[in-house]
């Protein structure tokens, strides 16, 4: 995998680049739809490609390891073939999911022992077997196993947590370098920068992680309970530390405004369940602001869902029709809303990319953030 920096904004840290993988080249900044168990909920792969414009999707190691399991994925020839997706895939290590299992997991220097949320069976992730698991899944970009430190952690906890993540990273890198891809194409891995909301720990984490970074590096442990301004502060702290020739992936973020603010601070890659999760619950993100499609005000509004949108959904269906589907409890409502929101997120990063190239990103961002956060 190779990251190519193509342009920078004059008035911010925003960047334009390309991430080259064996399954295709990704134009950055990019948003990556989340396909936790091998599917982006309620959305056809055809629509992901043709209408939404997804260049890469995510899978999750924890969930795929439990179901369908490594044996099935290996027999299928890897996740790409199993789900019929011929573009790049990134897999999270499962660390965030495991460490969210409060009360049914135990951390040690060796790894993390946890109980399945499905049947209560016990399992252990170590850096070494996590490499093996992600090799079996076959993602183009793998994430190193880390501990996701809570956003409100004390400095003492954050320091101990970071040391564990660093030790695991060294073992993960060794296991990765001593193993080979299984399905005839190259795989890369991103180290993850932790350190909670403590700038010196973030810098220390980045300097250590960069020893193992190839084409890119991830920023983890943000948008996990800390104030938004602290998230932005941590990204700003890391911008001068991470070399320009490394792709920067901000994990699990976020709202449209979060994405634009992070792009302005030098981030290239994003993922979040918000477009589909919020869409299933009737929240639509649009170029004019945020809509709650259950509101009575849309009951007789026969205008398109988003006249400024690029998706087929935006122009084919009215607000009144979509509201009717939500009120009636129809599955089609969740599908349409998910497709709209994903298309909007992809359009957002494409448009940001063009403004960086045009040289007016900073000015455009200031105006756009205010509009996107308006409640309609």
């Amino acid at each position: 995998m190779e990251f190519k920096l193509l342009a920078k904004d004059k008035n911010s840290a925003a960047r334009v680049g390309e991430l080259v993988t064996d399954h295709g080249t990704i134009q950055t900044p990019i948003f990556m739809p989340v396909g936790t168990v091998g599917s982006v909920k309620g959305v056809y792969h055809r629509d992901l490609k043709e209408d939404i414009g997804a260049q890469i999707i995510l899978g999750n190691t924890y969930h795929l390891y439990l179901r369908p399991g490594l044996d099935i994925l290996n027999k299928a020839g890897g996740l790409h073939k199993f789900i019929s997706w011929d573009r790049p895939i990134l897999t999270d290590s499962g660390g965030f999911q495991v460490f969210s299992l409060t009360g049914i997991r135990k951390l040690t220097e060796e790894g993390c022992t946890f109980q399945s949320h499905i049947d209560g069976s016990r399992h252990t992730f170590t850096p070494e077997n996590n490499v093996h698991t992600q090799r079996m899944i076959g993602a183009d970009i793998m994430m190193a196993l880390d501990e996701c430190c809570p956003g409100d952690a004390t400095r003492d906890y954050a320091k101990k947590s970071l040391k564990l993540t660093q030790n695991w990273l060294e073992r993960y890198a060794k296991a990765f370098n001593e193993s080979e891809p299984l399905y005839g194409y190259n795989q890369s891995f991103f180290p993850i920068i932790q350190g909670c909301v403590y700038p010196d720990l973030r810098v220390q984490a980045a300097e250590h992680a960069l020893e193992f970074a190839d084409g890119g590096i991830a920023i983890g442990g943000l948008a996990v309970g800390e104030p938004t301004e602290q998230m932005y502060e941590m990204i700003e702290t890391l911008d001068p530390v991470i070399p320009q020739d490394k792709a920067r992936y901000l994990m699990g973020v976020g709202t449209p405004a979060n994405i634009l603010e992070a792009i302005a601070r030098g981030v290239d890659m994003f993922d979040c369940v918000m477009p589909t999760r919020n869409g299933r619950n009737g929240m639509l993100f649009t170029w004019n602001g945020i809509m709650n499609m259950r509101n009575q005000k849309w009951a007789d509004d026969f205008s398109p869902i988003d006249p400024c949108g690029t998706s087929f959904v935006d122009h084919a269906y009215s607000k009144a029709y979509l509201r009717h589907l939500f009120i009636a409890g129809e599955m089609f409502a969740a599908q349409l809303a998910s497709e709209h929101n994903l298309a909007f997120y992809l359009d957002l990063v494409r448009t940001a990319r063009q403004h960086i190239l045009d040289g007016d990103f900073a000015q455009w961002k200031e105006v756009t953030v205010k509009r996107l956060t308006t409640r309609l």
Side-chain angles (χ1 to χ4, degrees):
M1 190 198 70
E2 178 186 10
F3 178 72
K4 300 176 182 178
L5 182 65
L6 303 181
K8 289 197 67 180
D9 182 53
K10 294 180 180 178
N11 299 308
S12 73
R15 302 133 49 92
V16 163
E18 289 183 346
L19 197 62
V20 182
T21 78
D22 285 358
H23 279 103
T25 297
I26 302 157
Q27 307 294 320
T28 65
I30 189 64
F31 179 81
M32 303 178 285
V34 177
T36 302
V37 297
S39 70
V40 177
K41 288 185 185 299
V43 182
Y44 287 112
H45 289 176
R46 173 200 63 202
D47 294 338
L48 278 172
K49 293 179 179 180
E50 297 175 7
D51 191 33
I52 294 167
Q55 301 177 51
I56 176 174
I57 62 173
L58 267 70
N60 182 264
T61 296
Y62 166 82
H63 289 283
L64 291 167
Y65 162 81
L66 292 177
R67 203 167 41 189
L70 300 186
D71 183 56
I72 295 295
L73 290 169
N74 185 242
K75 287 178 179 177
L79 186 60
H80 287 87
K81 289 186 177 179
F82 185 59
I83 68 173
S84 300
W85 177 259
D86 59 1
R87 295 183 181 181
I89 296 175
L90 181 149
T91 44
D92 186 3
S93 68
F96 178 79
Q97 286 70 32
V98 168
F99 304 127
S100 298
L101 299 173
T102 305
I104 56 173
R105 51 85 168 169
K106 181 180 179 181
L107 294 178
T108 67
E109 190 65 34
E110 177 61 21
C112 181
T113 299
F114 59 94
Q115 286 182 259
S116 165
H117 71 286
I118 300 169
D119 60 9
S121 57
R122 292 189 175 275
H123 306 268
T124 299
F125 277 169
T126 67
E128 293 79 12
N129 70 26
N130 196 265
V131 169
H132 172 72
T133 296
Q134 292 191 74
R135 289 289 200 196
M136 295 280 274
I137 294 170
D140 300 88
I141 303 171
M142 301 158 46
M143 291 294 114
L145 184 67
D146 66 327
E147 180 185 1
C148 183
C149 185
D152 60 354
T154 64
R155 179 182 175 80
D156 184 56
Y157 183 96
K159 189 174 181 179
K160 291 178 180 177
S161 173
L162 175 57
K163 181 60 177 175
L164 184 65
T165 289
Q166 291 175 325
N167 291 344
W168 284 359
L169 173 57
E170 293 172 10
R171 290 164 52 194
Y172 189 99
K174 183 175 185 293
F176 180 88
N177 292 331
E178 292 176 353
S179 60
E180 296 290 337
L182 301 177
Y183 306 117
Y185 54 85
N186 290 305
Q187 294 177 280
S188 299
F189 87 90
F190 283 11
I192 301 175
I193 299 169
Q194 290 290 349
C196 196
V197 295
Y198 304 100
D200 60 322
L201 295 185
R202 285 282 175 179
V203 171
Q204 177 190 328
E207 291 173 347
H208 178 264
L210 284 166
E211 297 177 24
F212 306 94
D214 184 10
I217 196 163
I219 304 170
L222 293 176
V224 289
E226 80 286 354
T228 301
E229 289 308 315
Q230 282 191 312
M231 175 174 72
Y232 296 154
E233 180 189 351
M234 293 306 101
I235 302 170
E236 290 172 4
T237 298
L238 292 172
D239 175 50
V241 180
I242 303 173
Q244 293 294 313
D245 64 350
K246 299 285 187 273
R248 293 113 173 255
Y249 166 31
L250 180 59
M251 304 179 75
V253 177
T255 68
N258 291 158
I259 288 174
L260 291 186
E261 295 291 357
I263 289 174
R265 291 163 171 80
V267 175
D268 307 299
M269 303 168 67
F270 304 87
D271 79 286
C272 191
V273 297
M274 189 171 285
T276 48
R277 178 177 291 171
N278 289 33
R280 293 194 302 274
N281 290 294
M283 178 183 284
L284 264 62
F285 301 98
T286 79
W287 283 107
N288 292 315
I290 301 168
M291 296 193 296
N292 179 350
M293 297 313 300
R294 295 181 181 276
N295 284 353
Q296 177 65 29
K297 67 185 296 182
W298 310 120
D300 60 354
D301 187 333
F302 303 107
S303 63
I305 290 173
D306 186 2
C308 300
T310 59
S311 169
F312 166 78
V313 170
D314 295 334
H315 301 277
Y317 304 101
S318 71
K319 298 179 181 74
Y321 178 57
L322 183 55
R323 178 185 183 275
H324 157 69
L325 294 175
F326 272 111
I327 298 302
E330 286 291 325
M331 289 189 296
F332 194 33
Q335 289 181 278
L336 292 179
S338 295
E339 185 161 339
H340 158 81
N341 279 348
L342 287 172
F344 170 75
Y345 268 61
L346 268 295
D347 193 29
L348 180 69
V349 292
R350 280 193 300 267
T351 304
R353 189 178 202 272
Q354 190 58 53
H355 280 284
I356 298 168
L357 292 171
D358 292 343
D360 65 350
F361 171 80
Q363 305 94 305
W364 170 81
K365 188 266 293 183
E366 291 303 316
V367 173
T368 304
V369 165
K370 293 177 182 177
R371 190 169 71 247
L372 298 183
T373 54
T374 301
R375 294 275 177 168
L376 299 178

